[in-house]
Coordinates of all heavy atoms in Angstrom, one line a residue:
Y262 N -98.1 14.5 57.3 CA -97.5 13.2 57.6 C -96.6 12.7 56.5 O -95.5 12.3 56.7 CB -98.5 12.2 58.0 CG -99.4 12.6 59.1 CD1 -100.7 13.2 58.9 CD2 -99.0 12.5 60.4 CE1 -101.5 13.7 59.9 CE2 -99.8 13.0 61.5 CZ -101.0 13.6 61.2 OH -101.8 14.0 62.2
A263 N -97.2 12.8 55.2 CA -96.4 12.3 54.1 C -95.2 13.3 53.9 O -94.1 12.9 53.5 CB -97.3 12.3 52.8
Q264 N -95.4 14.6 54.1 CA -94.4 15.5 53.9 C -93.2 15.3 54.9 O -92.1 15.6 54.6 CB -94.9 17.0 54.1 CG -93.9 18.1 53.7 CD -93.5 18.0 52.2 OE1 -94.4 17.8 51.3 NE2 -92.2 18.1 51.9
Y265 N -93.6 14.8 56.1 CA -92.5 14.5 57.1 C -91.5 13.4 56.5 O -90.3 13.6 56.7 CB -93.2 13.9 58.3 CG -92.2 13.5 59.4 CD1 -92.0 14.4 60.5 CD2 -91.6 12.3 59.5 CE1 -91.1 14.1 61.5 CE2 -90.7 12.0 60.5 CZ -90.4 12.9 61.5 OH -89.6 12.5 62.5
L266 N -92.1 12.4 55.8 CA -91.2 11.4 55.2 C -90.4 12.0 54.1 O -89.2 11.8 54.0 CB -92.1 10.3 54.6 CG -91.3 9.1 54.0 CD1 -90.5 8.4 55.1 CD2 -92.2 8.2 53.3
I267 N -91.0 12.9 53.3 CA -90.2 13.5 52.2 C -89.1 14.4 52.7 O -88.0 14.3 52.3 CB -91.2 14.3 51.3 CG1 -92.2 13.4 50.6 CG2 -90.4 15.1 50.3 CD1 -93.3 14.2 49.9
D268 N -89.4 15.2 53.8 CA -88.4 16.0 54.4 C -87.3 15.2 55.0 O -86.1 15.7 55.0 CB -89.1 17.0 55.4 CG -90.0 18.0 54.8 OD1 -89.9 18.2 53.5 OD2 -90.9 18.5 55.5
K269 N -87.6 14.1 55.6 CA -86.6 13.3 56.3 C -85.5 12.9 55.3 O -84.3 13.0 55.6 CB -87.3 12.0 56.9 CG -86.3 11.0 57.5 CD -87.1 9.8 58.0 CE -86.2 8.7 58.6 NZ -85.6 9.1 59.9
Y270 N -85.9 12.4 54.1 CA -84.9 12.0 53.2 C -84.3 13.1 52.4 O -83.2 13.0 51.9 CB -85.5 10.9 52.2 CG -85.7 9.6 53.0 CD1 -86.8 9.3 53.7 CD2 -84.6 8.7 53.0 CE1 -86.9 8.1 54.4 CE2 -84.7 7.5 53.7 CZ -85.9 7.2 54.4 OH -85.9 6.0 55.2
D271 N -85.0 14.2 52.3 CA -84.4 15.4 51.7 C -83.3 15.9 52.6 O -82.2 16.3 52.1 CB -85.4 16.5 51.5 CG -86.3 16.3 50.2 OD1 -85.9 15.4 49.4 OD2 -87.3 17.0 50.1
Y272 N -83.5 15.8 53.9 CA -82.5 16.3 54.9 C -81.2 15.4 54.8 O -80.1 15.9 54.8 CB -83.0 16.2 56.3 CG -82.0 16.4 57.4 CD1 -81.7 17.7 57.8 CD2 -81.3 15.4 58.0 CE1 -80.8 18.0 58.8 CE2 -80.4 15.6 58.9 CZ -80.1 16.9 59.4 OH -79.1 17.2 60.3
I273 N -81.5 14.1 54.7 CA -80.3 13.1 54.6 C -79.5 13.5 53.3 O -78.2 13.4 53.4 CB -80.8 11.7 54.5 CG1 -81.5 11.3 55.8 CG2 -79.7 10.7 54.2 CD1 -82.2 10.0 55.8
E274 N -80.1 13.8 52.3 CA -79.4 14.1 51.0 C -78.7 15.5 51.1 O -77.5 15.6 50.7 CB -80.4 14.0 49.8 CG -79.7 14.3 48.5 CD -80.6 14.2 47.3 OE1 -81.8 13.8 47.5 OE2 -80.1 14.4 46.2
K275 N -79.4 16.5 51.5 CA -78.9 17.8 51.5 C -77.9 18.1 52.6 O -76.9 18.8 52.3 CB -80.0 18.8 51.5 CG -80.9 18.8 50.3 CD -82.1 19.7 50.5 CE -83.0 19.7 49.2 NZ -84.2 20.5 49.4
K276 N -78.1 17.6 53.8 CA -77.2 17.9 54.9 C -76.1 16.9 55.0 O -75.0 17.3 55.4 CB -78.0 18.0 56.2 CG -79.0 19.1 56.3 CD -78.2 20.4 56.7 CE -79.2 21.5 57.0 NZ -78.5 22.8 57.4
I277 N -76.4 15.7 54.8 CA -75.4 14.6 55.0 C -74.8 14.2 53.7 O -73.7 13.6 53.7 CB -76.0 13.4 55.8 CG1 -76.7 13.9 57.0 CG2 -75.0 12.3 56.1 CD1 -77.4 12.8 57.8
G278 N -75.4 14.5 52.6 CA -74.8 14.2 51.3 C -75.1 12.7 50.9 O -74.4 12.2 50.0
L279 N -76.1 12.1 51.5 CA -76.3 10.7 51.1 C -77.7 10.6 50.4 O -78.7 11.0 51.0 CB -76.4 9.8 52.4 CG -75.1 9.7 53.1 CD1 -75.3 9.0 54.5 CD2 -74.0 8.9 52.3
K280 N -77.7 10.1 49.2 CA -79.0 9.9 48.5 C -79.3 8.4 48.6 O -78.7 7.6 48.0 CB -78.8 10.3 47.0 CG -80.1 10.2 46.3 CD -80.0 10.7 44.9 CE -81.3 10.7 44.1 NZ -82.4 11.4 44.7
I281 N -80.3 8.1 49.5 CA -80.7 6.7 49.7 C -82.2 6.6 49.4 O -82.9 7.5 49.6 CB -80.4 6.3 51.2 CG1 -81.2 7.1 52.2 CG2 -78.9 6.4 51.5 CD1 -81.0 6.6 53.6
Q282 N -82.5 5.4 49.1 CA -83.9 5.1 48.8 C -84.7 5.0 50.1 O -84.3 4.3 51.0 CB -84.1 3.7 48.1 CG -85.5 3.5 47.5 CD -85.5 2.1 46.8 OE1 -84.9 1.2 47.2 NE2 -86.2 2.1 45.7
P283 N -85.8 5.8 50.2 CA -86.6 5.7 51.5 C -87.0 4.3 51.8 O -87.4 3.5 50.9 CB -87.8 6.6 51.1 CG -87.4 7.5 50.1 CD -86.4 6.7 49.2
R284 N -86.8 4.0 53.1 CA -87.1 2.6 53.5 C -88.6 2.3 53.4 O -89.4 3.1 53.8 CB -86.6 2.4 54.9 CG -85.1 2.7 55.1 CD -84.7 2.8 56.5 NE -83.3 3.1 56.7 CZ -82.8 4.3 56.9 NH1 -83.6 5.4 56.8 NH2 -81.5 4.5 57.1
Y285 N -88.9 1.0 53.0 CA -90.2 0.6 53.0 C -90.9 0.7 54.3 O -92.1 1.1 54.5 CB -90.3 -0.9 52.5 CG -91.7 -1.5 52.5 CD1 -92.6 -1.2 51.6 CD2 -92.0 -2.5 53.5 CE1 -93.9 -1.7 51.6 CE2 -93.2 -3.0 53.5 CZ -94.2 -2.7 52.6 OH -95.4 -3.3 52.7
S286 N -90.2 0.3 55.4 CA -90.7 0.4 56.7 C -91.1 1.8 57.1 O -92.1 2.0 57.9 CB -89.7 -0.1 57.8 OG -88.5 0.7 57.8
D287 N -90.4 2.8 56.6 CA -90.8 4.2 56.9 C -92.1 4.6 56.2 O -92.9 5.3 56.7 CB -89.7 5.1 56.4 CG -88.5 5.1 57.4 OD1 -88.6 4.4 58.5 OD2 -87.4 5.6 57.1
F288 N -92.3 4.1 54.9 CA -93.6 4.3 54.3 C -94.7 3.7 55.1 O -95.8 4.3 55.2 CB -93.6 3.6 52.9 CG -93.0 4.5 51.8 CD1 -91.7 4.3 51.4 CD2 -93.8 5.4 51.1 CE1 -91.2 5.1 50.4 CE2 -93.3 6.2 50.1 CZ -91.9 6.0 49.7
K289 N -94.5 2.5 55.7 CA -95.6 1.9 56.4 C -95.8 2.6 57.7 O -97.0 2.7 58.2 CB -95.2 0.4 56.7 CG -95.1 -0.4 55.4 CD -96.3 -0.3 54.5 CE -97.5 -1.1 55.1 NZ -98.7 -1.0 54.2
A290 N -94.8 3.2 58.3 CA -95.0 4.0 59.5 C -95.8 5.2 59.3 O -96.7 5.5 60.1 CB -93.6 4.3 60.1
I291 N -95.5 5.9 58.2 CA -96.3 7.1 57.8 C -97.7 6.7 57.5 O -98.7 7.4 57.9 CB -95.6 7.8 56.7 CG1 -94.2 8.3 57.1 CG2 -96.5 9.0 56.2 CD1 -94.3 9.3 58.2

Side-chain angles (χ1 to χ4, degrees):
Y262 304 97
Q264 191 61 45
Y265 181 95
L266 182 66
I267 297 170
D268 292 344
K269 176 182 177 73
Y270 284 91
D271 280 350
Y272 173 87
I273 294 172
E274 181 176 357
K275 293 175 181 177
K276 289 285 188 180
I277 305 177
L279 296 172
K280 186 174 179 60
I281 62 175
Q282 189 177 41
R284 302 168 181 92
Y285 173 75
S286 62
D287 287 351
F288 274 96
K289 299 306 290 181
I291 296 299

